[in-house]
Amino acid sequence: MTTASMWSNRVVRRFFSASLISNFGDWMDFLAITVLFSYHWKLSPMVMALLPLVYAGPSILLGQFSGIVADKWNQRMILVGVDGIRAILTFCLLFVPDYQWMLLLLFLRSVADTLSSPAQQSALRRLVPSEHLFQALTINGTIQQATKVLGPLLGASLLAFASPFVCLLLNACSFVLSAFLLFTLPLPSKGDQTNNLTTNKEKITLDAWLEGWRFILANNRIQVSFLFAMATGMAIQCVDAQFAVLFREVAPTQPELVGWVTSAIGIGSLFVMLVIKKRGTWPSHSMIYGGGTLLLAIAFICLGIMKSGDSILLPVGGAIVGGLGNGLLLLGIQFILQRETPEHLIGRMTGIIDSLRSAVFLIAPLIGGIIIQQLGVSFAFTAIGITLFLLSITGFILAKLVWNKDKEQNKTYSTEAS
């Protein structure tokens, strides 16, 4: 079966369905753990800051190795195995006695998860022909943001009358169903690549790792794009795990506000992706990087100035605005990665970028926790908003100096439904 024919049949739809199901469960899982740590166990901001470290830490050590594995081994079996391991570990979360055990299991789950993103990106590139890449990325982005809306909404509704562990159980079930769908997914053979893991082990070499780095150092647009993305992400990560702490302080009787704001961010991102897909024209780099970061800055400033008794419209409205910026940045970065990178390096590129981003983010939650303890959570959110505003100015400047040299930036891509 050729790649072109696979794009038009149910194989690719099955791939996206598996992504939809697992992403849906992930967001309910995230909300459940956040509420469990902040409202049930009432943990300090410094302990809350450990959550991003637990999620990102394994990628620092294993991300680059995982990218090579994703390029060299069978992506279907990687994705199925990862979902199976994540299902088992998520089931184990239902029986933990305290937060220390939960942090350990979350860390182990993150170890398995390091293989997921490189394998997904590599599989997506192999399943989708280049002329449909824009459409595939907008579909994938739409799925991610739709689940970001519906997952927290359902999770918040469940948390109104049920334990957070119900959300964890649903996530474990979503991994099982995703693994089943992916197991039936054939990926086209790729030259002399085999599906035998033992045969491919000798190909995971130092030179294979250096090949990815050589490509990054030779590509100016990828360098600047991901440095900018890491700078923006580091600012956000300083307070990303502290939303529950903010709302615990300014709205102590409304734990569901975490879910509403998370869903509002997803609504904004989803709206942007649907508009881009309908237009079929890629936004300018100024809009993606400068405009996207500016919208995020507005969102964090709105959250920072929120006071007890304020209308819910301020945080939710600000979150929708931030979601618009988030959607622009997410699609822009993914498209540059997929368009600029050769097919055989997609996994390595994703692994290297994930590893570098995780290393940069390692210190950010701790900085955020220290700022919040010393100066307050509202001050921290406002400061991050101002930082993002300054970064947005940098984004507008870089768009003119670097990205706007790309002759294909105004190219119209096919978004016609297959």
Side-chain angles (χ1 to χ4, degrees):
M1 181 181 294
T2 65
T3 302
S5 64
M6 291 181 73
W7 169 247
S8 62
N9 67 24
R10 60 184 181 181
V11 174
V12 172
R13 291 194 293 271
R14 194 176 302 158
F15 176 81
F16 285 129
S17 296
S19 176
L20 173 67
I21 292 167
S22 62
N23 285 338
F24 193 90
D26 279 341
W27 277 109
M28 289 196 297
D29 183 293
F30 168 77
L31 179 61
I33 290 171
T34 301
V35 170
L36 193 63
F37 273 49
S38 183
Y39 285 89
H40 285 242
W41 288 329
K42 300 186 184 301
L43 301 175
S44 69
M46 287 305 295
V47 176
M48 293 293 295
L50 292 175
L51 275 175
L53 305 183
V54 166
Y55 283 110
S59 178
I60 298 173
L61 298 175
L62 302 174
Q64 298 188 36
F65 170 79
S66 299
I68 301 173
V69 172
D71 281 334
K72 300 296 185 180
W73 293 2
N74 183 288
Q75 288 91 13
R76 181 189 65 176
M77 297 312 298
I78 292 173
L79 293 171
V80 170
V82 166
D83 276 349
I85 293 171
R86 290 193 294 185
I88 294 171
L89 291 173
T90 305
F91 275 122
C92 291
L93 291 176
L94 301 175
F95 307 102
V96 295
D98 51 44
Y99 78 90
Q100 290 96 336
W101 278 102
M102 182 164 284
L103 287 173
L104 175 61
L105 289 175
L106 290 174
F107 180 84
L108 294 175
R109 194 174 70 177
S110 297
V111 170
D113 199 41
T114 58
L115 283 166
S116 180
S117 179
Q120 283 181 345
Q121 292 293 331
S122 185
L124 181 66
R125 182 65 174 271
R126 294 176 63 197
L127 284 170
V128 179
S130 58
E131 64 268 22
H132 292 297
L133 183 58
F134 176 82
Q135 180 187 0
L137 290 176
T138 53
I139 291 174
N140 193 47
T142 300
I143 287 172
Q144 291 177 3
Q145 299 310 315
T147 55
K148 189 173 185 176
V149 175
L150 298 176
L153 280 176
L154 178 58
S157 300
L158 286 173
L159 289 172
F161 61 86
S163 164
F165 290 101
V166 174
C167 294
L168 297 178
L169 176 61
L170 290 174
N171 189 35
C173 294
S174 75
F175 284 135
V176 173
L177 184 54
S178 174
F180 173 78
L181 288 172
L182 291 169
F183 185 74
T184 64
L185 177 69
L187 286 173
S189 60
K190 188 176 178 181
D192 59 355
Q193 180 182 9
T194 73
N195 293 337
N196 186 292
L197 301 187
T198 303
T199 302
N200 284 304
K201 282 182 180 177
E202 73 233 27
K203 297 182 180 179
I204 301 175
T205 62
L206 176 63
D207 187 64
W209 173 68
L210 290 174
E211 186 180 5
W213 274 102
R214 285 193 292 265
F215 179 77
I216 291 176
L217 295 176
N219 191 301
N220 213 24
R221 287 190 291 269
I222 284 185
Q223 290 175 39
V224 176
S225 296
F226 283 99
L227 283 174
F228 185 84
M230 283 187 281
T232 305
M234 185 172 183
I236 294 172
Q237 284 293 316
C238 282
V239 293
D240 192 53
Q242 308 292 354
F243 278 86
V245 175
L246 173 68
F247 296 134
R248 186 176 69 191
E249 182 175 300
V250 299
T253 61
Q254 295 178 284
E256 68 277 5
L257 197 55
V258 178
W260 304 139
V261 168
T262 304
S263 294
I265 295 172
I267 289 172
S269 300
L270 179 61
F271 178 78
V272 163
M273 293 179 184
L274 290 175
V275 170
I276 292 175
K277 184 176 185 299
K278 182 175 179 60
R279 290 181 59 200
T281 305
W282 200 248
S284 69
H285 291 100
S286 293
M287 178 63 71
I288 290 172
Y289 295 99
T293 310
L294 178 60
L295 292 171
L296 281 169
I298 294 172
F300 277 91
I301 291 173
C302 286
L303 291 168
I305 64 176
M306 181 182 175
K307 299 293 186 294
S308 180
D310 282 349
S311 169
I312 193 176
L313 293 178
L314 180 61
V316 173
I320 291 175
V321 171
L324 299 175
N326 183 61
L328 284 170
L329 286 171
L330 283 177
L331 274 182
I333 292 165
Q334 287 185 20
F335 190 66
I336 285 176
L337 173 65
Q338 288 282 352
R339 189 184 63 183
E340 298 287 339
T341 307
E343 180 180 326
H344 71 283
L345 290 176
I346 285 290
R348 263 164 287 188
M349 285 292 300
T350 305
I352 289 172
I353 296 303
D354 286 348
S355 176
L356 289 175
R357 186 168 50 190
S358 297
V360 171
F361 291 172
L362 186 63
I363 194 66
L366 295 176
I367 294 174
I370 293 171
I371 294 174
I372 289 173
Q373 283 199 330
Q374 297 298 319
L375 300 173
V377 64
S378 294
F379 176 87
F381 273 79
T382 304
I384 293 303
I386 295 172
T387 302
L388 289 170
F389 173 75
L390 297 175
L391 282 171
S392 72
I393 297 175
T394 305
F396 283 118
I397 294 172
L398 288 174
K400 294 184 178 298
L401 296 179
V402 179
W403 295 306
N404 283 352
K405 294 178 181 179
D406 185 356
K407 296 180 180 179
E408 294 184 11
Q409 71 166 353
N410 294 319
K411 179 178 178 181
T412 299
Y413 296 88
S414 170
T415 58
E416 202 173 299
S418 296

